[in-house]
Amino acid sequence: MHPELRRFIDSFEREAREEGRLRHTLGHAETRFLERVWGPFMNFNFEGLKPEYPFFDFEGGQRFVDFYYSRGPVKLIIEIDGYTTHAQVSKIEIPRSSPQTESIDVHGLVPIAIYRE
């Protein structure tokens, strides 16, 4: 594993445990995304990238995206594969094909969804 990626993961896990977050480790798919996509594309620079980022959905429920990136005018939300995990954490069930999931207003963010089947 690239040393910058190891530092990024260690820092996230340490902070998540200290803050008592529900998820305090990155999953296999999220780690592979960082190793194989984000890291090489961004030259292993993780500045501005926040894992397990919380937000409130249009119903007022708290949800999480796998990664939120904000740097300058660029803002991205990145969901690797845990749609149902994040929806269940917020205690609401939204079918993937519902109008809510197809037309969520993300207030100027660019959603990027990467699902494993």
Side-chain angles (χ1 to χ4, degrees):
M1 181 178 290
H2 192 279
E4 290 300 319
L5 176 55
R6 172 55 37 212
R7 276 192 277 284
F8 178 74
I9 291 172
D10 289 346
S11 174
F12 163 72
E13 291 178 350
R14 183 178 52 258
E15 289 174 17
R17 280 190 192 92
E18 288 171 359
E19 294 173 6
R21 293 186 203 159
L22 181 62
R23 285 193 64 189
H24 55 270
T25 59
L26 291 180
H28 178 73
E30 291 85 359
T31 301
R32 291 203 34 135
F33 167 77
L34 294 173
E35 283 180 314
R36 295 182 174 216
V37 178
W38 189 271
F41 184 73
M42 298 295 287
N43 199 27
F44 291 92
N45 180 350
F46 299 98
E47 186 176 334
L49 187 66
K50 298 178 191 317
E52 291 300 314
Y53 191 79
F55 70 98
F56 290 97
D57 63 21
F58 59 93
E59 297 275 326
Q62 186 175 23
R63 297 177 60 175
F64 298 82
V65 293
D66 287 324
F67 298 100
Y68 170 71
Y69 177 74
S70 177
R71 195 142 182 224
V74 177
K75 294 176 181 21
L76 304 170
I77 54 175
I78 303 168
E79 182 63 25
I80 303 304
D81 71 342
Y83 172 81
T84 55
T85 301
H86 299 300
Q88 288 171 353
V89 166
S90 68
K91 297 181 180 152
I92 59 171
E93 289 292 332
I94 300 175
R96 284 189 186 194
S97 62
S98 78
Q100 290 107 335
T101 59
E102 294 172 4
S103 64
I104 292 175
D105 177 6
V106 291
H107 305 290
L109 300 177
V110 177
I112 298 174
I114 303 170
Y115 291 102
R116 278 190 339 196
E117 297 298 330

